Amino acid sequence: MERNRASLYVRLSVKAGETNASLEGMIKELRELCVREGLHEVALHVDNGLSGGFRDRKEFQEWLEDAKQQRADVLVTFHVDRLTREGLNVAASLLDVVEGKDPASGRRAHHPVRLLDARGIDSAHGDSFRFRFVLQAEVARSERERMRDRSRSSVRRLRRAHRWPGGSVPFGYRAVPNPNGPGQVLDIAPDEAAILRDAAEWVLAGDSATRVCRRLNHEGRKPRRAREWVRQTLTRALCGDAVLGRITVNGALLLDDKGRIATPYPPVLTVAQSAALRAVLAPDPNRQPSAGRHPARLLSGLLYCHGCPQRLLVARRSGGAVYRCPTGSQGGVCEGGVSIAAEKLEAYVRAEYLQVAGHLRYFREEVQVSNAEELSMVEADIAHAVRELSQNATADGFATLQRLQALRTSLTSTAPERLVSLVDTGKTIAEVFATAMLDDQRDMLADAFDEIVILPGRRGPKTLDPERVLLRWAPEEVTDQAAD
């Protein structure tokens, strides 16, 4: 039987440009080669925009499987560098496929196949093929290393020139044309920066990172790529150096001519905010784990039974959710356990709250942090000193590191000072309440009421009796808001 079934493979490099062979051009050359060699195409595999430095490319592996499963007799490719840029590492495994060998045992595993490329490689040429194939694979590897070195050098030069070298732009920024010359620089992306600033304010005001994520997701303020915010993503965004307008070169923060940390781009957060956020969000093995739970219902934890000091709990009934006194079910004694329909009670309390306070202006807390800039600078100096010691360990270097560590110990003994002020949001309480997530609505009610006591019900129609609900307002809260 004539063995002329050909499986074709082409790969377009990650940074293919006008000087590179086009995808269509490579496929055309391979098909012309098949015609000249009397081969019949049975498969075409294309990896578009994938690096030759990795071998787990889907179509590349399928191309090899065509030989192993005897679906093809000839493997055809454009050039050796389209197959791999790992050199001998992959060249050996490719030769095993061509010769039909099991890579583990070296024994025959399948029928040998022929390997052809459009630049003259042909496994039918015996030893000359092997020498040439291995040599070209190593040349491709060496070329890849040179390309990577040139790319790294270019990135370093651009960053030292305060220009953006390309790639993934940090959250909170956007790449814009350089106003002072060629290339691009980073500028603040207003919508993304607003997310980071609000998140920082909420965390510093005492909200957990998990709760902040829920609030951002509730408001529809999504991260750039993911479907929603999670704690890890938010923490990386808030605690990274990028939000301070800083950049790294070879893993170290870029320094100016005076040895200070450079800020080539406008910062989203202040150094003081960053230092405080890192302290709050840093992993702490002694911190009690928190599930980040949110309230089950609007009045969860706010209702009290008239007959005992217990908070009412949410329970499920056939007619819907209710708030009930748990004392009796827990073996305690209550003068008169109560139960009340959840939805009707929530609607009543919400209406009463908005009627009294809904027209008032809503003020949010703004936290300003001071006394943290010096600590942040010392942390950066310590990191720089450690990197210097790793490259050149000297007595002066160790002395500098010890001095910086002692200074850090002194500074960390004094907690950053937080100043809280109220800022007018320009909205009324009713406007904020209408769009707030459940957690925040509940907190607004908790600030407005000292307690809400539920009295016993009477037999009759299944409607809410307002006389059962004793609302005890927090006088200072209503008075202060009204005064503002």
Side-chain angles (χ1 to χ4, degrees), residues 54-231:
F54 304 98
R55 65 194 75 170
D56 58 350
R57 288 162 275 141
K58 178 179 181 297
E59 294 301 321
F60 175 62
Q61 293 298 329
E62 285 294 325
W63 182 64
L64 297 180
E65 283 298 315
D66 284 345
K68 296 176 184 178
Q69 301 301 324
Q70 300 184 30
R71 296 189 293 258
D73 311 303
V74 184
L75 298 180
V76 185
T77 188
F78 184 74
H79 193 270
V80 172
D81 65 7
R82 299 298 92 191
L83 299 181
T84 178
R85 287 187 178 271
E86 290 188 85
L88 290 173
N89 307 51
V90 177
S93 63
L94 284 168
L95 289 175
D96 281 339
V97 173
V98 171
E99 296 174 1
K101 293 181 178 180
D102 180 349
S105 66
R107 299 179 183 278
R108 179 64 61 85
H110 58 84
H111 199 285
V113 296
R114 183 184 177 191
L115 177 63
L116 283 174
D117 82 357
R119 294 296 179 266
I121 285 287
D122 188 345
S123 60
H125 294 164
D127 287 344
S128 64
F129 153 74
R130 293 176 65 91
F131 287 129
R132 185 176 176 187
F133 179 74
V134 171
L135 179 61
Q136 290 192 4
E138 274 298 296
V139 168
R141 182 201 60 79
S142 178
E143 181 182 351
R144 176 172 179 259
E145 291 301 318
R146 288 195 299 272
M147 291 167 58
R148 292 175 64 180
D149 288 342
R150 288 196 299 269
S151 178
R152 293 191 188 104
S153 297
S154 175
V155 168
R156 288 194 293 268
R157 288 195 301 271
L158 290 173
R159 286 182 173 174
R160 290 188 178 115
H162 296 182
R163 290 165 54 187
W164 179 243
S168 179
V169 176
F171 189 84
Y173 291 89
R174 59 185 177 181
V176 299
N178 182 9
N180 301 317
Q184 292 184 313
V185 296
L186 291 188
D187 193 12
I188 287 178
D191 291 343
E192 293 183 354
I195 290 176
L196 295 177
R197 287 167 180 155
D198 287 345
E201 290 286 348
W202 295 330
V203 170
L204 294 178
D207 286 341
S208 68
T210 302
R211 180 167 181 172
V212 172
C213 289
R214 287 202 302 269
R215 185 179 295 135
L216 291 173
N217 295 332
H218 172 79
E219 295 176 355
R221 302 165 75 182
K222 307 295 184 183
R224 188 181 299 160
R225 296 181 182 86
R227 295 193 336 181
E228 60 180 20
W229 287 99
V230 296
R231 178 185 176 87

Side-chain angles (χ1 to χ4, degrees), residues 262-277:
T263 54
Y265 309 128
V268 174
L269 303 178
T270 67
V271 174
Q273 285 177 311
S274 175
L277 286 168

Side-chain angles (χ1 to χ4, degrees), residues 295-297 300 313-324 339 342-343 346:
R297 298 196 65 92
S300 295
L313 301 180
V314 178
R316 305 295 174 184
R317 297 288 186 267
S318 58
V322 298
Y323 293 100
R324 67 173 181 83
S339 177
E343 291 188 4
E346 290 164 358

